[in-house]
């Protein structure tokens, strides 16, 4: 099975039917995980009013998304059966043939399904317009062991999972992951 559009949106109901505020949902995913973290693509701002352009341009690590997904593959019983939410506002095709759609306030997504390895390095060409820093808007395995949410505005992606998974991510020297409480205001650039 390869990553492909799927006609059944019921796998996304736990996202679409969430009663979380939309900005919390699109940055950390659904509630209910033991722990949360942020994968930073830029360092957090150090002063009020700082712009992303003020961050050092060489700081970005292009392999973080692939590294994250590779680590996450080992923390699910279903690495070959994952769901991906593709935000339709990133300039990709107006529709993804045969893909189900789901929505949360202020955002709508196409749902695709397949192995997590299809997002690593050799992602299908049609997927590229839907990725931000190498990640889609949402990705989670069928067993919902974890969820990654990557909205377009923050300089980070949110991750929900077990406390052991978050600890593993925070201590991985290849990743810039910090623990996070989704209820707290997160650092943001102006």
């Amino acid at each position: 099975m390869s990553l492909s559009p799927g006609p059944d949106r019921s796998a996304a109901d736990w996202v679409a039917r969430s009663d979380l505020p939309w900005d919390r949902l699109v940055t950390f995913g659904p509630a209910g995980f033991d722990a949360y973290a942020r994968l930073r693509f830029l360092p957090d701002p150090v002063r009020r009013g700082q712009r992303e352009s003020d961050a050092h341009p060489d700081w970005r690590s292009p392999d973080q998304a692939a590294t994250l997904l590779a680590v996450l593959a080992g923390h699910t019983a279903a690495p070959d059966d994952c769901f991906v939410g593709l935000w339709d506002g990133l300039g990709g095709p107006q529709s993804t043939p045969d893909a189900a759609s789901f929505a949360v306030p202020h955002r709508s997504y196409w749902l695709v399904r397949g192995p997590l390895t299809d997002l690593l390095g050799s992602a299908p060409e049609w997927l590229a317009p839907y990725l931000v820093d190498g990640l889609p808007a949402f990705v989670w395995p069928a067993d919902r062991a974890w969820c990654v949410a990557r909205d377009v505005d923050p300089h980070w992606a949110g991750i929900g999972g077990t406390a052991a998974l978050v600890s593993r991510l925070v201590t991985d020297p290849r990743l810039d992951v910090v623990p996070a409480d989704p209820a707290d205001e997160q650092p943001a650039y102006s």
Side-chain angles (χ1 to χ4, degrees), residues 50-144:
Q50 185 176 358
R51 298 181 183 278
E52 283 189 17
S53 60
D54 295 335
H56 194 278
D58 294 333
W59 195 87
R60 285 186 184 264
S61 174
D63 298 331
Q64 284 206 104
T67 301
L68 172 69
L69 294 173
V71 171
L72 292 175
H75 289 266
T76 175
D80 293 327
D81 190 12
C82 291
F83 296 92
V84 177
L86 307 172
W87 181 44
D88 68 3
L90 282 175
Q94 292 294 72
S95 68
T96 301
D98 302 322
S101 63
F102 68 98
V104 301
H106 308 288
R107 301 278 192 270
S108 57
Y109 306 91
W110 303 110
L111 184 66
V112 298
R113 184 178 193 174
L116 195 56
T117 54
D118 276 10
L119 287 175
L120 301 172
S122 60
E125 189 174 311
W126 63 266
L127 189 62
Y130 296 105
L131 303 180
V132 176
D133 293 314
L135 290 173
F138 289 102
V139 60
W140 69 90
D143 64 6
R144 297 185 191 168

Side-chain angles (χ1 to χ4, degrees), residues 26 31 45 54 165:
V26 300
D54 295 335
L165 170 59

Side-chain angles (χ1 to χ4, degrees), residues 123-180:
E125 189 174 311
W126 63 266
L127 189 62
Y130 296 105
L131 303 180
V132 176
D133 293 314
L135 290 173
F138 289 102
V139 60
W140 69 90
D143 64 6
R144 297 185 191 168
W146 45 261
C147 181
V148 177
R150 175 66 174 116
D151 195 49
V152 296
D153 294 326
H155 63 281
W156 48 269
I159 307 154
T162 64
L165 170 59
V166 168
S167 177
R168 164 73 173 83
L169 295 172
V170 167
T171 59
D172 191 314
R174 302 168 297 168
L175 298 170
D176 182 20
V177 174
V178 294

